[in-house]
Amino acid sequence: MDKSIKQNIYLIGMMGSWKSTTGKLLAERLERQFVDTDNLLTEKMKMSIPQIFKYLGEERFRREEALCLQSVSEEKDKVVATGGGIVLTEENRRLLRTRGHTFFLKASPGTLAGRIRNIANRPKLHGPGDLLDKLRKLTADRLEYYTGTADFIVDTDALTTDEVVDAVLEKLEEAHVNA
Ligand code: S3P
């Protein structure tokens, strides 16, 4: 597939990696539409993410998330922020690899813990135990998927949100992507 034509830009990475915040800024800079798979899901299901997890279960959440990604991947020209667990299925990873330019916004568990404000809205972080430990474990389980799926990796630990956007735009330019 020709990846130089206008396609979606996908942002992947852990909770707190600034996918939504920088995705909105990036969409503004590129004059593209911004979409967030979590928002698509909550609109479709008419439930919050914690409600979906609680009443329908994580498996159903993942199925609905995959359907959202599928329908978004049939469109183009969008900036798409994804849920942190989107890389857990092979089919999602395949779509992310083949249907656009995918950026892994990388951040250490310590950085993520410092950025995450809303734990109540994130069922994967609920329950007893230390936030940092949970983030370490989830990162360890997923790192290989994020790095193996992304076309580009942006290390965001030392960056501001604007600098993350600049880094994404620079990488697109270097790769001669006509964004
Ligand atoms: C999840 C991340 C969340 C949301 C859900 C599950 C995860 O999205 O999809 O709570 O498994 O990492 P954000 O990464 O946007 O917080």
Side-chain angles (χ1 to χ4, degrees):
M1 170 174 289
D2 179 0
K3 289 195 90 165
S4 69
I5 56 169
K6 285 195 171 198
Q7 292 188 325
N8 288 339
I9 293 171
Y10 294 99
L11 304 179
I12 62 172
M14 284 284 293
M15 292 168 272
S17 60
W18 282 346
K19 293 162 295 188
S20 304
T21 315
T22 57
K24 280 179 205 152
L25 295 172
L26 184 63
E28 270 171 33
R29 295 269 289 268
L30 292 171
E31 297 181 357
R32 288 186 177 211
Q33 197 189 338
F34 171 74
V35 288
D36 185 317
T37 57
D38 281 343
N39 291 346
L40 292 178
L41 248 167
T42 54
E43 279 161 24
K44 178 181 170 194
M45 310 291 288
K46 307 211 177 338
M47 281 186 190
S48 68
I49 303 273
Q51 283 172 335
I52 301 173
F53 269 71
K54 184 171 173 196
Y55 299 113
L56 304 176
E58 180 168 353
E59 228 181 274
R60 173 75 187 279
F61 174 85
R62 296 297 172 202
R63 281 207 302 278
E64 295 292 342
E65 184 177 50
L67 291 175
C68 278
L69 180 64
Q70 245 172 50
S71 69
V72 166
S73 73
E74 279 156 22
E75 299 168 25
K76 55 181 190 154
D77 286 352
K78 304 218 175 335
V79 175
V80 185
T82 59
I86 201 118
V87 294
L88 292 173
T89 68
E90 172 52 38
E91 174 58 9
N92 289 354
R93 296 196 294 273
R94 190 189 66 77
L95 287 175
L96 291 163
R97 276 197 308 267
T98 57
R99 297 293 182 84
H101 313 288
T102 298
F103 286 81
F104 169 30
L105 303 187
K106 190 174 181 191
S108 68
T111 298
L112 298 171
R115 288 182 193 163
I116 289 174
R117 297 274 165 265
N118 193 352
I119 291 175
N121 201 34
R122 292 182 160 111
K124 297 299 282 180
L125 302 177
H126 291 176
D130 184 52
L131 174 65
L132 190 55
D133 285 344
K134 289 179 191 155
L135 290 167
R136 280 200 188 108
K137 164 112 186 44
L138 283 171
T139 300
D141 291 346
R142 296 172 175 180
L143 192 58
E144 194 185 325
Y145 293 142
Y146 291 135
T147 54
T149 303
D151 297 302
F152 308 94
I153 299 176
V154 178
D155 203 326
T156 70
D157 275 337
L159 304 183
T160 64
T161 47
D162 282 328
E163 287 168 342
V164 174
V165 175
D166 289 341
V168 169
L169 292 172
E170 241 166 64
K171 283 180 192 286
L172 285 171
E173 203 164 302
E174 272 165 29
H176 304 291
V177 171
N178 177 23

